[in-house]
Amino acid sequence: MQKTSILGRLEILADAAKYDASCASSGSVERNSRNGRGVGSTSGGMGICHAYAPDGRCISLLKLLLTNHCIFDCHYCVNRKSSNVERARFTPEEVVDLTLSFYRRNYIEGLFLSSGIVRSPDHTMEQIVRVARTLREVHDFRGYIHLKTIPEADPEIVAEAGIWADRVSINVELPTAASLARLAPDKNAPRIEGAMGGLHSRIVDARDARRKYRSAPRFAPAGQSTQMIVGADGTSDTQIIDKASRLYGRFGLRRVYYSAFSPIPDASAVLPLQRPPLMREHRLYQSDWLTRFYGFAPHEVSEAADANGMLPLDIDPKLAWALKFRDRFPIDLNRAPREAMLRVPGLGVKAVDALLGARRHRSIRLDDLARVTNSLRKLRPFVVTSDWRPVAMLDLADLRARLAPKPRQMELFG
Ligand code: SF4
């Protein structure tokens, strides 16, 4: 029997949204209602509602689908046309009411809204936009809004999403056009990238206009993001790293999210039966971090991969890279530039900046490292301090085994 109560539909549509990892409320503009005007705030962190992936990971904030009906048939998606799931649908007004009442109860800090495609991409996109427009215009809602946009919809309707939302996103879904054609036959890679390009131009234009005129309208101030599913096809990590770096470069994305493929109920036969190790997703996030904050070029991160283009699972990509390029070490922490220090395994950005600050006043000793990192064992072979110099450690044949985290015994009754 079809669930008609709001609660029943909420159960279905919040559950259906949990497979999307591409939401995070970072980088928005500061808005609040502390002066008694409007509703909501983009800051403060109160009333956060989390969503969980099927494996129990906490992946993000409140997420909701407008509907899980869909006329498309993407094999990896639980909501695809041929899937045998229970269906439900909200009207835009119902989502507006739900958002406001959840917000007032402090359950959420904003709205992440996506949808299956009903009737047509244009119709669906109009409904999504209507939710955000009503929240902003009618209710003066100042909380965070992230809208998932539909690349197949009219670019003008997609662009309206950016007028009301803090962040917009379009999922590239799969790393290669061939995989997309095989697993999401209704989607089209050039069209997805074309829509991303359209949003990027508008985001850049709006930023430029606001630099000149403070009253110029905002357009998706928290930028755009995307998501790639990992492990549903045979794409290697190096191909994924390469794709992500091209997306960052071409479309100025705020984030590329990686979502380890989770076998879904009633799965299509073209999908793998098993999900990839969750650690693979974690290593891809680490590699993403290396290119965004640690000065690694994408091809350098890829050098940490094995002959099949896969990053090691037992050690992080920065350590893997350092072990391959031992001739670049040890780094003298009292003299090296910041870029070289950021290459040291176990030293994060904050730790490097703290050491740079400290060395203006005194020499860096091993004790100083112990204060800024928990990874002293990992970084000793790679650094020189005023009281430490590794002797032949970098030549040890078993250095990798010595530095890899010890395997942990699974608990029988854990
Ligand atoms: S378009 Fe594809 S991924 Fe999106 S809801 Fe429909 S079937 Fe799922």
Side-chain angles (χ1 to χ4, degrees), residues 65 67-82 87 114-117 148 150 152 171 173 183-184 186-187 229:
L65 296 192
T67 176
N68 65 343
H69 288 275
C70 194
I71 56 175
F72 282 15
D73 209 27
C74 310
H75 287 287
Y76 49 81
C77 178
V78 71
N79 303 317
R80 69 190 187 281
K81 183 171 61 181
S82 57
R87 307 281 177 173
S114 182
S115 183
I117 299 173
K148 176 85 10 138
I150 301 170
E152 293 78 16
N171 287 353
E173 309 286 14
L183 297 178
D186 303 295
K187 297 196 176 188
I229 300 167

PDB file of all heavy atoms in Angstrom, residues 65 67-82 87 114-117 148 150 152 171 173 183-184 186-187 229, ligand 1:
ATOM      1  N   LEU A  65      14.637  13.709  -1.026  1.00  0.00           N
ATOM      2  CA  LEU A  65      14.247  13.746  -2.439  1.00  0.00           C
ATOM      3  C   LEU A  65      12.834  14.307  -2.520  1.00  0.00           C
ATOM      4  O   LEU A  65      12.003  14.012  -1.668  1.00  0.00           O
ATOM      5  CB  LEU A  65      14.241  12.339  -3.047  1.00  0.00           C
ATOM      6  CG  LEU A  65      15.534  11.548  -3.146  1.00  0.00           C
ATOM      7  CD1 LEU A  65      15.304  10.329  -4.032  1.00  0.00           C
ATOM      8  CD2 LEU A  65      16.659  12.375  -3.688  1.00  0.00           C
ATOM      9  N   THR A  67      10.960  13.444  -4.945  1.00  0.00           N
ATOM     10  CA  THR A  67      10.295  12.171  -5.257  1.00  0.00           C
ATOM     11  C   THR A  67      11.338  11.121  -5.606  1.00  0.00           C
ATOM     12  O   THR A  67      12.432  11.458  -6.067  1.00  0.00           O
ATOM     13  CB  THR A  67       9.322  12.309  -6.448  1.00  0.00           C
ATOM     14  OG1 THR A  67       8.785  11.007  -6.741  1.00  0.00           O
ATOM     15  CG2 THR A  67      10.005  12.821  -7.700  1.00  0.00           C
ATOM     16  N   ASN A  68      10.991   9.856  -5.388  1.00  0.00           N
ATOM     17  CA  ASN A  68      11.887   8.787  -5.856  1.00  0.00           C
ATOM     18  C   ASN A  68      11.300   8.071  -7.071  1.00  0.00           C
ATOM     19  O   ASN A  68      11.800   7.028  -7.479  1.00  0.00           O
ATOM     20  CB  ASN A  68      12.219   7.795  -4.729  1.00  0.00           C
ATOM     21  CG  ASN A  68      11.012   7.030  -4.240  1.00  0.00           C
ATOM     22  OD1 ASN A  68       9.870   7.427  -4.497  1.00  0.00           O
ATOM     23  ND2 ASN A  68      11.237   5.949  -3.529  1.00  0.00           N
ATOM     24  N   HIS A  69      10.238   8.640  -7.634  1.00  0.00           N
ATOM     25  CA  HIS A  69       9.815   8.163  -8.959  1.00  0.00           C
ATOM     26  C   HIS A  69      10.877   8.644  -9.935  1.00  0.00           C
ATOM     27  O   HIS A  69      11.429   9.735  -9.776  1.00  0.00           O
ATOM     28  CB  HIS A  69       8.490   8.810  -9.375  1.00  0.00           C
ATOM     29  CG  HIS A  69       7.301   8.296  -8.617  1.00  0.00           C
ATOM     30  ND1 HIS A  69       6.619   7.162  -8.987  1.00  0.00           N
ATOM     31  CD2 HIS A  69       6.684   8.769  -7.517  1.00  0.00           C
ATOM     32  CE1 HIS A  69       5.624   6.956  -8.137  1.00  0.00           C
ATOM     33  NE2 HIS A  69       5.644   7.917  -7.231  1.00  0.00           N
ATOM     34  N   CYS A  70      11.172   7.880 -10.966  1.00  0.00           N
ATOM     35  CA  CYS A  70      12.133   8.359 -11.956  1.00  0.00           C
ATOM     36  C   CYS A  70      11.879   7.707 -13.305  1.00  0.00           C
ATOM     37  O   CYS A  70      11.577   6.515 -13.381  1.00  0.00           O
ATOM     38  CB  CYS A  70      13.571   8.096 -11.500  1.00  0.00           C
ATOM     39  SG  CYS A  70      14.752   9.024 -12.513  1.00  0.00           S
ATOM     40  N   ILE A  71      11.996   8.518 -14.344  1.00  0.00           N
ATOM     41  CA  ILE A  71      11.797   7.966 -15.694  1.00  0.00           C
ATOM     42  C   ILE A  71      13.122   7.472 -16.278  1.00  0.00           C
ATOM     43  O   ILE A  71      13.162   6.910 -17.355  1.00  0.00           O
ATOM     44  CB  ILE A  71      11.153   9.014 -16.640  1.00  0.00           C
ATOM     45  CG1 ILE A  71      11.981  10.298 -16.695  1.00  0.00           C
ATOM     46  CG2 ILE A  71       9.731   9.310 -16.223  1.00  0.00           C
ATOM     47  CD1 ILE A  71      11.466  11.335 -17.702  1.00  0.00           C
ATOM     48  N   PHE A  72      14.242   7.710 -15.596  1.00  0.00           N
ATOM     49  CA  PHE A  72      15.543   7.227 -16.054  1.00  0.00           C
ATOM     50  C   PHE A  72      15.832   5.863 -15.432  1.00  0.00           C
ATOM     51  O   PHE A  72      15.221   5.479 -14.434  1.00  0.00           O
ATOM     52  CB  PHE A  72      16.655   8.209 -15.654  1.00  0.00           C
ATOM     53  CG  PHE A  72      16.736   9.433 -16.548  1.00  0.00           C
ATOM     54  CD1 PHE A  72      15.718   9.774 -17.414  1.00  0.00           C
ATOM     55  CD2 PHE A  72      17.862  10.254 -16.501  1.00  0.00           C
ATOM     56  CE1 PHE A  72      15.801  10.898 -18.225  1.00  0.00           C
ATOM     57  CE2 PHE A  72      17.954  11.386 -17.306  1.00  0.00           C
ATOM     58  CZ  PHE A  72      16.921  11.715 -18.170  1.00  0.00           C
ATOM     59  N   ASP A  73      16.809   5.184 -16.012  1.00  0.00           N
ATOM     60  CA  ASP A  73      17.086   3.828 -15.547  1.00  0.00           C
ATOM     61  C   ASP A  73      18.586   3.612 -15.305  1.00  0.00           C
ATOM     62  O   ASP A  73      19.204   2.740 -15.924  1.00  0.00           O
ATOM     63  CB  ASP A  73      16.545   2.825 -16.579  1.00  0.00           C
ATOM     64  CG  ASP A  73      16.153   1.515 -15.917  1.00  0.00           C
ATOM     65  OD1 ASP A  73      15.811   1.528 -14.719  1.00  0.00           O
ATOM     66  OD2 ASP A  73      16.218   0.468 -16.598  1.00  0.00           O
ATOM     67  N   CYS A  74      19.144   4.409 -14.414  1.00  0.00           N
ATOM     68  CA  CYS A  74      20.571   4.270 -14.104  1.00  0.00           C
ATOM     69  C   CYS A  74      20.768   3.000 -13.260  1.00  0.00           C
ATOM     70  O   CYS A  74      20.154   2.882 -12.186  1.00  0.00           O
ATOM     71  CB  CYS A  74      21.067   5.489 -13.338  1.00  0.00           C
ATOM     72  SG  CYS A  74      20.608   7.048 -14.134  1.00  0.00           S
ATOM     73  N   HIS A  75      21.609   2.112 -13.733  1.00  0.00           N
ATOM     74  CA  HIS A  75      21.706   0.784 -13.102  1.00  0.00           C
ATOM     75  C   HIS A  75      22.086   0.838 -11.635  1.00  0.00           C
ATOM     76  O   HIS A  75      21.674   0.003 -10.851  1.00  0.00           O
ATOM     77  CB  HIS A  75      22.748  -0.059 -13.841  1.00  0.00           C
ATOM     78  CG  HIS A  75      22.273  -0.519 -15.183  1.00  0.00           C
ATOM     79  ND1 HIS A  75      21.334  -1.513 -15.336  1.00  0.00           N
ATOM     80  CD2 HIS A  75      22.603  -0.109 -16.424  1.00  0.00           C
ATOM     81  CE1 HIS A  75      21.103  -1.693 -16.623  1.00  0.00           C
ATOM     82  NE2 HIS A  75      21.860  -0.846 -17.310  1.00  0.00           N
ATOM     83  N   TYR A  76      22.934   1.811 -11.263  1.00  0.00           N
ATOM     84  CA  TYR A  76      23.453   1.848  -9.894  1.00  0.00           C
ATOM     85  C   TYR A  76      22.476   2.500  -8.920  1.00  0.00           C
ATOM     86  O   TYR A  76      22.767   2.629  -7.742  1.00  0.00           O
ATOM     87  CB  TYR A  76      24.780   2.647  -9.860  1.00  0.00           C
ATOM     88  CG  TYR A  76      24.671   3.970 -10.582  1.00  0.00           C
ATOM     89  CD1 TYR A  76      24.106   5.068  -9.969  1.00  0.00           C
ATOM     90  CD2 TYR A  76      25.075   4.090 -11.913  1.00  0.00           C
ATOM     91  CE1 TYR A  76      23.952   6.269 -10.644  1.00  0.00           C
ATOM     92  CE2 TYR A  76      24.926   5.284 -12.602  1.00  0.00           C
ATOM     93  CZ  TYR A  76      24.364   6.362 -11.965  1.00  0.00           C
ATOM     94  OH  TYR A  76      24.186   7.537 -12.635  1.00  0.00           O
ATOM     95  N   CYS A  77      21.319   2.945  -9.400  1.00  0.00           N
ATOM     96  CA  CYS A  77      20.445   3.769  -8.557  1.00  0.00           C
ATOM     97  C   CYS A  77      19.226   2.984  -8.086  1.00  0.00           C
ATOM     98  O   CYS A  77      18.513   2.364  -8.881  1.00  0.00           O
ATOM     99  CB  CYS A  77      19.997   5.001  -9.342  1.00  0.00           C
ATOM    100  SG  CYS A  77      18.886   6.038  -8.391  1.00  0.00           S
ATOM    101  N   VAL A  78      18.981   3.071  -6.804  1.00  0.00           N
ATOM    102  CA  VAL A  78      17.860   2.348  -6.211  1.00  0.00           C
ATOM    103  C   VAL A  78      16.517   2.910  -6.698  1.00  0.00           C
ATOM    104  O   VAL A  78      15.497   2.228  -6.660  1.00  0.00           O
ATOM    105  CB  VAL A  78      17.984   2.385  -4.666  1.00  0.00           C
ATOM    106  CG1 VAL A  78      17.694   3.767  -4.110  1.00  0.00           C
ATOM    107  CG2 VAL A  78      17.127   1.332  -4.015  1.00  0.00           C
ATOM    108  N   ASN A  79      16.531   4.144  -7.193  1.00  0.00           N
ATOM    109  CA  ASN A  79      15.276   4.766  -7.628  1.00  0.00           C
ATOM    110  C   ASN A  79      15.009   4.628  -9.127  1.00  0.00           C
ATOM    111  O   ASN A  79      14.078   5.242  -9.646  1.00  0.00           O
ATOM    112  CB  ASN A  79      15.294   6.266  -7.273  1.00  0.00           C
ATOM    113  CG  ASN A  79      15.519   6.466  -5.802  1.00  0.00           C
ATOM    114  OD1 ASN A  79      14.935   5.761  -4.988  1.00  0.00           O
ATOM    115  ND2 ASN A  79      16.391   7.399  -5.449  1.00  0.00           N
ATOM    116  N   ARG A  80      15.842   3.874  -9.812  1.00  0.00           N
ATOM    117  CA  ARG A  80      15.691   3.786 -11.271  1.00  0.00           C
ATOM    118  C   ARG A  80      14.309   3.228 -11.625  1.00  0.00           C
ATOM    119  O   ARG A  80      13.681   2.517 -10.821  1.00  0.00           O
ATOM    120  CB  ARG A  80      16.804   2.922 -11.856  1.00  0.00           C
ATOM    121  CG  ARG A  80      16.698   1.472 -11.499  1.00  0.00           C
ATOM    122  CD  ARG A  80      17.956   0.705 -11.912  1.00  0.00           C
ATOM    123  NE  ARG A  80      17.761  -0.723 -11.707  1.00  0.00           N
ATOM    124  CZ  ARG A  80      17.855  -1.320 -10.545  1.00  0.00           C
ATOM    125  NH1 ARG A  80      18.135  -0.614  -9.466  1.00  0.00           N
ATOM    126  NH2 ARG A  80      17.665  -2.614 -10.438  1.00  0.00           N
ATOM    127  N   LYS A  81      13.913   3.547 -12.860  1.00  0.00           N
ATOM    128  CA  LYS A  81      12.582   3.176 -13.343  1.00  0.00           C
ATOM    129  C   LYS A  81      12.251   1.700 -13.086  1.00  0.00           C
ATOM    130  O   LYS A  81      11.164   1.353 -12.653  1.00  0.00           O
ATOM    131  CB  LYS A  81      12.551   3.480 -14.846  1.00  0.00           C
ATOM    132  CG  LYS A  81      11.253   3.230 -15.535  1.00  0.00           C
ATOM    133  CD  LYS A  81      11.290   3.772 -16.967  1.00  0.00           C
ATOM    134  CE  LYS A  81      12.369   3.092 -17.814  1.00  0.00           C
ATOM    135  NZ  LYS A  81      12.424   3.615 -19.186  1.00  0.00           N
ATOM    136  N   SER A  82      13.236   0.816 -13.340  1.00  0.00           N
ATOM    137  CA  SER A  82      12.950  -0.614 -13.253  1.00  0.00           C
ATOM    138  C   SER A  82      13.099  -1.171 -11.832  1.00  0.00           C
ATOM    139  O   SER A  82      12.955  -2.364 -11.621  1.00  0.00           O
ATOM    140  CB  SER A  82      13.880  -1.378 -14.200  1.00  0.00           C
ATOM    141  OG  SER A  82      15.229  -1.088 -13.868  1.00  0.00           O
ATOM    142  N   ARG A  87       7.461   3.792  -3.757  1.00  0.00           N
ATOM    143  CA  ARG A  87       7.620   5.157  -4.297  1.00  0.00           C
ATOM    144  C   ARG A  87       6.819   6.157  -3.464  1.00  0.00           C
ATOM    145  O   ARG A  87       5.794   5.815  -2.868  1.00  0.00           O
ATOM    146  CB  ARG A  87       7.126   5.226  -5.741  1.00  0.00           C
ATOM    147  CG  ARG A  87       7.742   4.192  -6.675  1.00  0.00           C
ATOM    148  CD  ARG A  87       9.130   4.587  -7.108  1.00  0.00           C
ATOM    149  NE  ARG A  87       9.717   3.523  -7.942  1.00  0.00           N
ATOM    150  CZ  ARG A  87      10.864   3.642  -8.580  1.00  0.00           C
ATOM    151  NH1 ARG A  87      11.575   4.740  -8.486  1.00  0.00           N
ATOM    152  NH2 ARG A  87      11.342   2.638  -9.301  1.00  0.00           N
ATOM    153  N   SER A 114      17.178  16.943  -3.641  1.00  0.00           N
ATOM    154  CA  SER A 114      17.430  16.295  -4.922  1.00  0.00           C
ATOM    155  C   SER A 114      16.112  15.667  -5.371  1.00  0.00           C
ATOM    156  O   SER A 114      15.103  15.761  -4.673  1.00  0.00           O
ATOM    157  CB  SER A 114      18.537  15.242  -4.736  1.00  0.00           C
ATOM    158  OG  SER A 114      18.828  14.627  -5.954  1.00  0.00           O
ATOM    159  N   SER A 115      16.137  14.996  -6.498  1.00  0.00           N
ATOM    160  CA  SER A 115      14.881  14.378  -6.937  1.00  0.00           C
ATOM    161  C   SER A 115      15.129  13.364  -8.044  1.00  0.00           C
ATOM    162  O   SER A 115      16.067  13.514  -8.835  1.00  0.00           O
ATOM    163  CB  SER A 115      13.927  15.454  -7.472  1.00  0.00           C
ATOM    164  OG  SER A 115      12.693  14.867  -7.819  1.00  0.00           O
ATOM    165  N   GLY A 116      14.271  12.359  -8.086  1.00  0.00           N
ATOM    166  CA  GLY A 116      14.180  11.538  -9.283  1.00  0.00           C
ATOM    167  C   GLY A 116      13.505  12.395 -10.355  1.00  0.00           C
ATOM    168  O   GLY A 116      12.961  13.463 -10.051  1.00  0.00           O
ATOM    169  N   ILE A 117      13.564  11.929 -11.578  1.00  0.00           N
ATOM    170  CA  ILE A 117      13.020  12.749 -12.665  1.00  0.00           C
ATOM    171  C   ILE A 117      11.605  12.281 -12.989  1.00  0.00           C
ATOM    172  O   ILE A 117      11.400  11.129 -13.374  1.00  0.00           O
ATOM    173  CB  ILE A 117      13.930  12.681 -13.898  1.00  0.00           C
ATOM    174  CG1 ILE A 117      15.302  13.226 -13.496  1.00  0.00           C
ATOM    175  CG2 ILE A 117      13.348  13.476 -15.066  1.00  0.00           C
ATOM    176  CD1 ILE A 117      16.364  13.075 -14.525  1.00  0.00           C
ATOM    177  N   LYS A 148      20.343  19.975  -5.890  1.00  0.00           N
ATOM    178  CA  LYS A 148      20.900  19.122  -6.941  1.00  0.00           C
ATOM    179  C   LYS A 148      20.213  19.503  -8.234  1.00  0.00           C
ATOM    180  O   LYS A 148      18.992  19.606  -8.284  1.00  0.00           O
ATOM    181  CB  LYS A 148      20.622  17.674  -6.557  1.00  0.00           C
ATOM    182  CG  LYS A 148      21.002  16.638  -7.504  1.00  0.00           C
ATOM    183  CD  LYS A 148      22.400  16.122  -7.486  1.00  0.00           C
ATOM    184  CE  LYS A 148      23.343  16.453  -6.414  1.00  0.00           C
ATOM    185  NZ  LYS A 148      24.155  15.391  -5.949  1.00  0.00           N
ATOM    186  N   ILE A 150      19.566  19.237 -12.535  1.00  0.00           N
ATOM    187  CA  ILE A 150      19.399  18.162 -13.532  1.00  0.00           C
ATOM    188  C   ILE A 150      19.987  18.638 -14.854  1.00  0.00           C
ATOM    189  O   ILE A 150      19.464  19.576 -15.472  1.00  0.00           O
ATOM    190  CB  ILE A 150      17.895  17.821 -13.689  1.00  0.00           C
ATOM    191  CG1 ILE A 150      17.351  17.378 -12.323  1.00  0.00           C
ATOM    192  CG2 ILE A 150      17.681  16.750 -14.732  1.00  0.00           C
ATOM    193  CD1 ILE A 150      15.851  17.245 -12.286  1.00  0.00           C
ATOM    194  N   GLU A 152      19.933  17.603 -17.766  1.00  0.00           N
ATOM    195  CA  GLU A 152      19.103  17.478 -18.976  1.00  0.00           C
ATOM    196  C   GLU A 152      18.032  18.565 -19.040  1.00  0.00           C
ATOM    197  O   GLU A 152      17.324  18.690 -20.048  1.00  0.00           O
ATOM    198  CB  GLU A 152      18.410  16.093 -19.006  1.00  0.00           C
ATOM    199  CG  GLU A 152      19.369  14.918 -19.173  1.00  0.00           C
ATOM    200  CD  GLU A 152      20.097  14.552 -17.888  1.00  0.00           C
ATOM    201  OE1 GLU A 152      19.668  14.975 -16.803  1.00  0.00           O
ATOM    202  OE2 GLU A 152      21.139  13.856 -17.981  1.00  0.00           O
ATOM    203  N   ASN A 171      25.872  15.715 -10.441  1.00  0.00           N
ATOM    204  CA  ASN A 171      26.754  14.552 -10.282  1.00  0.00           C
ATOM    205  C   ASN A 171      27.287  14.078 -11.634  1.00  0.00           C
ATOM    206  O   ASN A 171      26.503  13.841 -12.559  1.00  0.00           O
ATOM    207  CB  ASN A 171      26.004  13.400  -9.607  1.00  0.00           C
ATOM    208  CG  ASN A 171      25.792  13.678  -8.135  1.00  0.00           C
ATOM    209  OD1 ASN A 171      26.320  14.658  -7.595  1.00  0.00           O
ATOM    210  ND2 ASN A 171      25.043  12.827  -7.474  1.00  0.00           N
ATOM    211  N   GLU A 173      28.619  11.321 -11.738  1.00  0.00           N
ATOM    212  CA  GLU A 173      28.249   9.924 -11.484  1.00  0.00           C
ATOM    213  C   GLU A 173      29.397   8.942 -11.695  1.00  0.00           C
ATOM    214  O   GLU A 173      29.809   8.272 -10.770  1.00  0.00           O
ATOM    215  CB  GLU A 173      27.052   9.459 -12.338  1.00  0.00           C
ATOM    216  CG  GLU A 173      25.837  10.385 -12.290  1.00  0.00           C
ATOM    217  CD  GLU A 173      25.063  10.286 -10.986  1.00  0.00           C
ATOM    218  OE1 GLU A 173      25.587   9.707 -10.021  1.00  0.00           O
ATOM    219  OE2 GLU A 173      23.943  10.829 -10.924  1.00  0.00           O
ATOM    220  N   LEU A 183      26.243   2.325 -17.737  1.00  0.00           N
ATOM    221  CA  LEU A 183      25.486   2.185 -16.491  1.00  0.00           C
ATOM    222  C   LEU A 183      24.372   3.222 -16.318  1.00  0.00           C
ATOM    223  O   LEU A 183      23.509   3.065 -15.462  1.00  0.00           O
ATOM    224  CB  LEU A 183      26.441   2.256 -15.287  1.00  0.00           C
ATOM    225  CG  LEU A 183      27.486   1.134 -15.218  1.00  0.00           C
ATOM    226  CD1 LEU A 183      28.407   1.319 -14.027  1.00  0.00           C
ATOM    227  CD2 LEU A 183      26.813  -0.235 -15.139  1.00  0.00           C
ATOM    228  N   ALA A 184      24.427   4.288 -17.088  1.00  0.00           N
ATOM    229  CA  ALA A 184      23.363   5.300 -16.993  1.00  0.00           C
ATOM    230  C   ALA A 184      22.983   5.715 -18.408  1.00  0.00           C
ATOM    231  O   ALA A 184      23.302   6.806 -18.873  1.00  0.00           O
ATOM    232  CB  ALA A 184      23.846   6.501 -16.185  1.00  0.00           C
ATOM    233  N   ASP A 186      20.544   6.837 -19.958  1.00  0.00           N
ATOM    234  CA  ASP A 186      19.778   8.061 -20.267  1.00  0.00           C
ATOM    235  C   ASP A 186      20.616   9.314 -20.081  1.00  0.00           C
ATOM    236  O   ASP A 186      20.165  10.410 -20.398  1.00  0.00           O
ATOM    237  CB  ASP A 186      18.553   8.166 -19.352  1.00  0.00           C
ATOM    238  CG  ASP A 186      17.671   6.936 -19.463  1.00  0.00           C
ATOM    239  OD1 ASP A 186      17.122   6.721 -20.541  1.00  0.00           O
ATOM    240  OD2 ASP A 186      17.567   6.182 -18.467  1.00  0.00           O
ATOM    241  N   LYS A 187      21.819   9.150 -19.512  1.00  0.00           N
ATOM    242  CA  LYS A 187      22.651  10.331 -19.250  1.00  0.00           C
ATOM    243  C   LYS A 187      23.731  10.450 -20.306  1.00  0.00           C
ATOM    244  O   LYS A 187      24.047   9.493 -21.000  1.00  0.00           O
ATOM    245  CB  LYS A 187      23.260  10.233 -17.854  1.00  0.00           C
ATOM    246  CG  LYS A 187      22.180  10.239 -16.778  1.00  0.00           C
ATOM    247  CD  LYS A 187      22.739  10.518 -15.426  1.00  0.00           C
ATOM    248  CE  LYS A 187      21.590  10.617 -14.431  1.00  0.00           C
ATOM    249  NZ  LYS A 187      22.009  11.064 -13.124  1.00  0.00           N
ATOM    250  N   ILE A 229      30.881   8.022  -8.315  1.00  0.00           N
ATOM    251  CA  ILE A 229      30.708   6.723  -7.670  1.00  0.00           C
ATOM    252  C   ILE A 229      31.964   5.901  -7.935  1.00  0.00           C
ATOM    253  O   ILE A 229      32.437   5.825  -9.068  1.00  0.00           O
ATOM    254  CB  ILE A 229      29.466   6.006  -8.236  1.00  0.00           C
ATOM    255  CG1 ILE A 229      28.223   6.867  -7.988  1.00  0.00           C
ATOM    256  CG2 ILE A 229      29.302   4.636  -7.622  1.00  0.00           C
ATOM    257  CD1 ILE A 229      27.014   6.421  -8.757  1.00  0.00           C
TER     258      ILE A 229
HETATM  259  S1  SF4 B   1      18.257  10.050 -12.878  1.00  0.00           S
HETATM  260 FE1  SF4 B   1      19.340   8.128 -12.528  1.00  0.00          FE
HETATM  261  S2  SF4 B   1      20.502   8.524 -10.631  1.00  0.00           S
HETATM  262 FE2  SF4 B   1      18.910  10.123 -10.753  1.00  0.00          FE
HETATM  263  S3  SF4 B   1      17.186   9.290  -9.588  1.00  0.00           S
HETATM  264 FE3  SF4 B   1      16.847   8.741 -11.729  1.00  0.00          FE
HETATM  265  S4  SF4 B   1      17.717   6.689 -11.935  1.00  0.00           S
HETATM  266 FE4  SF4 B   1      18.515   7.585 -10.054  1.00  0.00          FE
END
